[in-house]
Amino acid sequence: MPPAPKKRRRTPRQLLRGVRRRARRVAGRARRVFWRSLQLRVVTSTMVISIVVVAVLGVFLMQQIIRTTLETREIAAKSEAQADRNAVLGYLNQPAAEAAKQPVEPGQALQPAGSSPLSQATEALARRAGSASRYSVIIRNETLPGAFYGTTNIDPVSIPSRQRDELFKKEAGEDSTWYTPLYYKGQPEQPVPGMIIGTRLDSSYEIYHLVPLDKEERTLASVQQMIILVGAGLVLLLAAISSLVTRQVVTPVRLARQAAERLAAGRLDERLKVRGEDDLARLATSFNEMAANLALKIHQLEELSQVQRQFVSDVSHELRTPLTTVRMAADLLFDAREDFDPMAARSAELMQNQLNRFEAMLADLLEISRYDAGAADLDVDPVDVRDVVLRAVADSEALAERHSTRFDLRLPGEPCMAEMDSRRVERILRNLLFNAIEHGEGRDVVVSVAADRDAVAVAVRDHGVGLKPGEENLVFDRFWRADPSRARTIGGTGLGLAISREDAILHGGWLQAWGSHGEGSQFRLSLPRVAGAVLRGSPLPLVPPEVEMRRTWRGHVTPVLSPAAADGGRDAD
């Protein structure tokens, strides 16, 4: 057995492109779902607005709680600091206060032993502060750098030097408050959020109250979590409420949309259930009344159309018998016209011409009645489109000579084989050529043929008056004329292009028109090469290439005015 082929490993760039394509597809699906669902858009908008409002209110509320908590703690700490300062002043003002000014080595113990007034004051402050969780006190003397007295194991590095400098600039007895991390000996890497209240005494002593705020921080963190949870719950609750309320409105609208789609698909008995007496109920009532009136009008139009089709069919068939008799008599008179006097001979020729025109009109009416009855069918054979075009041009030569029109044939050198009903396609081309001669004002008519793998196309281009905007589809309506005041030089019923379009549709093809006022018009017939195949494109453009090129040139080139034109069009003397 041959070895199994190895799977080709994809490069990181290919993997990245694949991920991007999948992400774009997912984003595209999500975007389509979002814009197609009114309920989803309302719920999403409500959630976004709710999140913004709740976030703003939560931030504002949290700031107020933090400010209130810190202000309360600061007021209490300042009150205790004032009391401690008065106590220290009382101890320092004793007669033995001179003993406290003895030299102290830097780095002395936090709670030195002895009976000096400063030691007594430190011990008293320690008893007042209690545990370190309330606050700690550090007493320093600015004349003895490095010496301090403390009530706990608080590290003096907690006091920033910049804040000490600011304290020296203030008057004695004036407080300074700082928010800074507090450090304890033995725990240098675990600072505690805290607040420092510093005061300078008259006797060159500094008293610092270090208040830890770890409890307040934990309390505020709990409050913040609670606010976030309550805000998230509130947002979800608002989203659920908006979804419920929107559903009550969207569901009847969705039912109305589905009913309208079924009504448009032809189910004229579709109706909505009416519940209540609100606006949605009145909408359902109005929809039901509209559907009933529409069904009635459609039924009336169908009956009228059926009567009209039946009338056209019956009249067309009934006219065949008398027309045959009249044709036989007219042929006898036309053949013997040389024996008549000139007036009678001319009358015989006119009668012959009008009978030919009447037979053509009757043939068109019979053909359109067959299309209305759904009785038209195809006799498909593989033919060369070029031969069909040449036969149609040969049939139109006499009419073209009378209008001084010349045909410009642009046929490919290779055969253009396609499966089609050559009789019907030739009739389409004759109608297009007659129309081009009628409206071409004596200019050349260009006939182009092209083919590709799936389709063949024939384009008939005239250089006459052209079409006005919006008339590209009207030209295929029955009995429609572009300019009713214009005299017709070619007799007809006004059904030629309508029958041509029906023939093209019967082949599974397209018959399209383009026109521009003053630039002429072009009709393009596109047919599949294989009968029954789906037509996906045409080998020929609908807009003539020279017109498209001229429009592109005009869009990219700015006209340059002559000096006379730029001066208002006045000629120079």
Side-chain angles (χ1 to χ4, degrees):
M1 294 180 61
K6 295 182 179 180
K7 293 185 178 179
R8 186 178 180 182
R9 299 184 62 182
R10 301 175 65 184
T11 63
R13 181 175 297 179
Q14 292 175 339
L15 293 174
L16 182 60
R17 282 201 296 265
V19 171
R20 288 178 178 174
R21 283 197 298 269
R22 283 191 288 270
R24 283 196 294 267
R25 284 197 296 268
V26 172
R29 293 194 193 100
R31 186 163 50 249
R32 286 193 296 271
V33 171
F34 178 78
W35 287 112
R36 289 180 180 178
S37 176
L38 176 61
Q39 184 176 3
L40 180 59
R41 292 204 304 273
V42 172
V43 173
T44 304
S45 302
T46 303
M47 287 190 65
V48 171
I49 296 174
S50 301
I51 290 173
V52 173
V53 173
V54 169
V56 172
L57 292 178
V59 170
F60 177 76
L61 182 61
M62 194 65 198
Q63 290 179 348
Q64 294 296 324
I65 294 175
I66 293 174
R67 185 182 299 110
T68 302
T69 302
L70 294 181
E71 287 179 354
T72 303
R73 191 73 177 91
E74 183 177 353
I75 292 173
K78 285 184 177 182
S79 177
E80 293 175 347
Q82 180 65 31
D84 291 344
R85 184 179 62 187
N86 295 333
V88 170
L89 288 175
Y91 282 102
L92 294 179
N93 290 331
Q94 294 178 2
E98 294 297 332
K101 296 183 180 180
Q102 295 177 358
V104 181
E105 297 296 330
Q108 189 172 345
L110 288 177
Q111 292 187 8
S115 59
S116 65
L118 189 56
S119 300
Q120 296 176 7
T122 303
E123 294 175 358
L125 294 182
R127 289 193 298 271
R128 286 176 56 86
S131 62
S133 60
R134 287 189 59 198
Y135 64 90
S136 302
V137 180
I138 291 180
I139 303 176
R140 306 180 68 116
N141 191 332
E142 62 183 17
T143 61
L144 300 174
F148 62 91
Y149 293 87
T151 60
T152 60
N153 62 338
I154 189 72
D155 196 329
V157 299
S158 302
I159 305 173
S161 59
R162 186 175 61 183
Q163 276 71 20
R164 288 195 60 196
D165 297 339
E166 292 180 0
L167 183 63
F168 292 152
K169 298 177 183 179
K170 295 187 177 183
E171 298 292 334
E174 186 177 355
D175 294 333
S176 294
T177 304
W178 315 303
Y179 290 94
T180 182
L182 303 181
Y183 297 89
Y184 292 88
K185 289 190 175 182
Q187 300 176 349
E189 297 179 356
Q190 297 179 4
V192 177
M195 175 178 60
I196 300 177
I197 300 176
T199 306
R200 190 162 60 88
L201 301 179
D202 294 336
S203 54
S204 300
Y205 283 95
E206 306 164 19
I207 301 179
Y208 297 95
H209 287 74
L210 296 90
V211 183
L213 301 176
D214 51 346
K215 293 183 178 179
E216 286 77 5
E217 184 182 49
R218 289 192 295 270
T219 303
L220 292 176
S222 301
V223 173
Q224 184 178 5
Q225 292 178 359
M226 185 62 64
I227 291 177
I228 293 175
L229 292 176
V230 172
L234 182 60
V235 170
L236 295 177
L237 181 61
L238 290 175
I241 293 174
S242 65
S243 177
L244 180 61
V245 174
T246 308
R247 185 180 181 85
Q248 294 178 355
V249 178
V250 171
T251 300
V253 175
R254 185 180 294 119
L255 294 176
R257 188 259 303 169
Q258 295 172 355
E261 291 176 351
R262 290 191 291 268
L263 185 65
R267 297 174 56 179
L268 301 180
D269 57 343
E270 187 68 28
R271 298 294 183 272
L272 291 175
K273 294 182 179 180
V274 180
R275 297 186 179 91
E277 299 179 356
D278 54 6
D279 293 336
L280 294 176
R282 289 196 293 271
L283 174 62
T285 303
S286 301
F287 178 87
N288 293 338
E289 293 176 355
M290 179 195 68
N293 294 332
L294 184 62
L296 178 61
K297 293 297 182 182
I298 291 177
H299 182 68
Q300 293 175 352
L301 291 175
E302 287 178 348
E303 290 183 348
L304 179 60
S305 178
Q306 180 65 28
V307 171
Q308 289 177 343
R309 287 196 297 266
Q310 189 66 34
F311 174 76
V312 172
S313 179
D314 293 345
V315 169
S316 301
H317 285 87
E318 292 297 329
L319 288 176
R320 298 290 291 181
T321 300
L323 180 61
T324 303
T325 304
V326 174
R327 164 61 71 181
M328 293 173 61
D331 289 342
L332 291 176
L333 294 175
F334 184 76
D335 293 338
R337 68 185 183 282
E338 295 180 356
D339 300 332
F340 300 155
D341 58 89
M343 185 65 69
R346 178 58 179 164
S347 299
E349 292 176 357
L350 290 175
M351 183 172 61
Q352 186 74 7
N353 293 333
Q354 295 303 316
L355 279 175
N356 291 336
R357 180 181 176 185
F358 186 72
E359 282 186 337
M361 295 169 61
L362 188 60
D364 287 345
L365 289 175
L366 287 172
E367 186 67 21
I368 206 70
S369 65
R370 279 195 290 270
Y371 276 113
D372 291 337
D377 54 359
L378 293 176
D379 185 9
V380 177
D381 289 314
V383 296
D384 190 348
V385 179
R386 299 179 302 172
D387 297 336
V388 180
V389 172
L390 291 175
R391 288 197 299 269
V393 170
D395 294 340
S396 308
E397 284 289 353
L399 181 62
E401 291 178 0
R402 289 199 299 270
H403 288 76
S404 302
T405 300
R406 189 177 63 88
F407 291 118
D408 181 7
L409 300 181
R410 300 177 182 179
L411 308 180
E414 299 179 354
C416 300
M417 304 301 296
E419 297 178 358
M420 62 180 66
D421 189 337
S422 58
R423 179 183 65 86
R424 294 183 182 275
V425 174
E426 188 175 339
R427 180 170 62 189
I428 295 174
L429 297 178
R430 277 199 307 270
N431 286 329
L432 298 181
L433 292 173
F434 288 169
N435 183 74
I437 295 171
E438 170 75 19
H439 299 91
E441 297 184 342
R443 298 186 178 93
D444 292 351
V445 174
V446 180
V447 182
S448 304
V449 179
D452 57 17
R453 185 181 61 182
D454 302 321
V456 295
V458 181
V460 178
R461 168 87 159 96
D462 67 74
H463 300 82
V465 295
L467 297 173
K468 297 177 181 178
E471 292 183 348
E472 295 84 1
N473 295 320
L474 296 177
V475 293
F476 299 108
D477 292 345
R478 300 178 184 181
F479 308 107
W480 184 85
R481 294 181 63 183
D483 188 1
S485 62
R486 180 187 174 119
R488 295 179 66 93
T489 60
I490 302 176
T493 60
L495 296 174
L497 292 178
I499 294 175
S500 299
R501 183 178 61 176
E502 296 293 343
D503 284 334
I505 295 174
L506 193 62
H507 282 82
W510 306 332
L511 181 58
Q512 300 163 294
W514 167 89
S516 179
H517 188 67
E519 294 184 335
S521 59
Q522 176 167 291
F523 289 78
R524 182 183 68 179
L525 173 65
S526 306
L527 300 175
R529 302 194 73 164
V530 179
V534 178
L535 187 62
R536 302 186 183 277
S538 179
L540 287 175
L542 181 59
V543 181
E546 66 274 10
V547 176
E548 189 68 30
M549 185 180 302
R550 187 160 56 249
R551 290 180 177 176
T552 303
W553 180 82
R554 289 174 181 173
H556 290 82
V557 177
T558 303
V560 179
L561 299 179
S562 63
D567 194 27
R570 295 191 299 270
D571 294 333
D573 293 334

